[in-house]
Amino acid sequence: MARRLGYAIQNVVFRALLGAMRLLPIETASAAGGWLFRLVGPRLPADRIARSNLARAFPEASQAEIDRIVQEVWDNLGRGAAEYAHLDRIDTHDGNRVELIGEERLLAARDSKAPFIVFSAHMANWEMASLVAAQRGCKLANIYRRASNPGMDRMIQKVRAGFTAELLPKGRAGARGALKVMDEGRPLGLLIDQKFNEGAPIPFFGRPAMTATAPAELALRYRCRVLPVRLERLPGARFRVTVEAPLELPDSGDRKADVETLLHAMNARVEAWVRARPGQWFWVHRRWPKDD
């Protein structure tokens, strides 16, 4: 009963905040969201998780540097939350809001009529990858982690339904759905930087991190394009989306080794993005085992 009441309160607050943010220009809403999260975030347990992660990922960083990065992390998360209210209004074509680099690679994958995989990470506003693809005629089927609050999950699904082909829940059902998507020759979108309890221990910032093997297994099974998409936040609620060259698919004859080789390449790409803009990554979750 207490949990249901708590969820109900969260839903009312979330809806009210989204409604208020939608009344504001996106730049103002984004700035307000950043300010709110910079105020509240440091008081949450996740702040300690972020600081611990950063200290281990960047052992050479000073306390002042970690403080600065953590503040940027909360700012980025708040901005992304507020921008949810404006996602259906963002035009990724004119270059004013979204600077797109490597568009030709996405269009080539779309026009091939073959399945392909787009992978990215929880950086900047991570909905931009799906939004860019959708506005170019190739809505992605996304695997996602359900929100614990069912009401909030329904609201998130409603927003994302406008620019995704379908949302596949993480787990076995999502894996079956991903196979169906690939069999039908459609594109699949993945954020590969989340914590997993299963998978393969692939290095990430020099420490083993359990990494889902499904993206690599699907890529090798279908021998399809695997497009890394880098996301960056720019000043003024603007974004840069870079569709990088497809990853080379290993073909040694040893499927297990090939899966691990491809996963190493994918994690290395994400790590390079995070190192370049550490304040824009989702440091507030436990990406690594507690006792590593």
Side-chain angles (χ1 to χ4, degrees):
M1 186 67 173
R3 180 181 298 177
R4 289 198 296 270
L5 179 59
Y7 284 166
I9 293 172
Q10 289 175 9
N11 294 340
V12 170
V13 172
F14 187 56
R15 286 179 181 275
L17 287 174
L18 280 184
M21 292 299 117
R22 192 169 176 84
L23 294 175
L24 301 173
I26 185 172
E27 293 85 358
T28 306
S30 179
W35 172 82
L36 180 61
F37 273 53
R38 290 197 310 273
L39 180 68
V40 175
R43 295 167 171 77
L44 301 177
D47 191 78
R48 294 193 296 273
I49 296 173
R51 291 176 181 278
S52 175
N53 285 336
L54 281 161
R56 300 183 76 173
F58 298 104
E60 73 286 355
S62 67
Q63 187 58 54
E65 289 172 319
I66 290 177
D67 290 344
R68 176 184 57 79
I69 293 172
V70 171
Q71 185 179 53
E72 290 177 4
V73 168
W74 286 119
D75 180 77
N76 180 67
L77 291 175
R79 287 176 177 274
E83 288 156 3
Y84 245 81
H86 291 268
L87 287 176
D88 64 331
R89 299 172 173 175
I90 294 177
D91 183 354
T92 68
H93 288 285
D94 59 17
N96 294 325
R97 184 70 57 197
V98 180
E99 175 188 342
L100 179 58
I101 300 172
E103 179 181 20
E104 69 282 358
R105 297 181 179 123
L106 179 62
L107 298 183
R110 179 199 66 186
D111 295 341
S112 71
K113 306 303 180 182
F116 64 93
I117 294 173
V118 167
F119 79 88
S120 192
H122 288 84
M123 296 198 68
N125 185 320
W126 49 83
E127 303 294 2
M128 288 300 119
S130 292
L131 194 62
V132 162
Q135 293 187 5
R136 281 153 186 81
C138 49
K139 283 187 175 182
L140 306 176
N142 292 150
I143 294 179
Y144 85 114
R145 184 195 300 268
R146 293 186 186 276
S148 56
N149 182 330
M152 290 184 67
D153 188 67
R154 286 192 295 271
M155 284 185 276
I156 292 170
Q157 287 193 48
K158 183 177 179 180
V159 171
R160 298 184 75 184
F163 52 87
T164 57
E166 61 182 301
L167 293 172
L168 306 171
K170 179 184 171 185
R172 292 182 180 179
R176 290 193 297 270
L179 281 172
K180 184 174 183 290
V181 166
M182 302 296 280
D183 283 338
E184 294 173 351
R186 298 189 285 129
L188 184 66
L190 302 165
L191 298 174
I192 66 166
D193 56 339
Q194 288 182 317
K195 175 184 179 295
F196 287 87
N197 295 323
E198 301 175 348
I202 305 299
F204 188 59
F205 280 87
R207 298 155 59 193
M210 294 303 290
T211 303
T213 59
E217 290 169 345
L218 288 170
L220 294 173
R221 174 173 178 168
Y222 292 90
R223 304 303 297 181
C224 66
R225 283 181 174 90
V226 179
L227 296 176
V229 175
R230 179 183 182 184
L231 306 173
E232 300 171 86
R233 179 176 295 281
L234 304 177
R238 295 178 57 250
F239 310 93
R240 179 183 296 126
V241 177
T242 304
V243 182
E244 299 182 348
L247 295 184
E248 182 177 348
L249 300 183
D251 191 13
S252 69
D254 183 335
R255 177 53 65 90
K256 181 179 179 181
D258 286 348
V259 166
E260 291 198 0
T261 296
L262 186 52
L263 290 176
H264 273 79
M266 296 170 80
N267 269 11
R269 191 61 58 89
V270 173
E271 181 176 329
W273 299 337
V274 177
R275 286 186 179 277
R277 291 186 179 270
Q280 296 188 11
W281 189 57
F282 196 72
W283 290 99
V284 295
H285 81 304
R286 297 188 185 279
R287 182 65 184 92
W288 297 271
K290 293 181 181 181
D291 57 351
D292 66 344

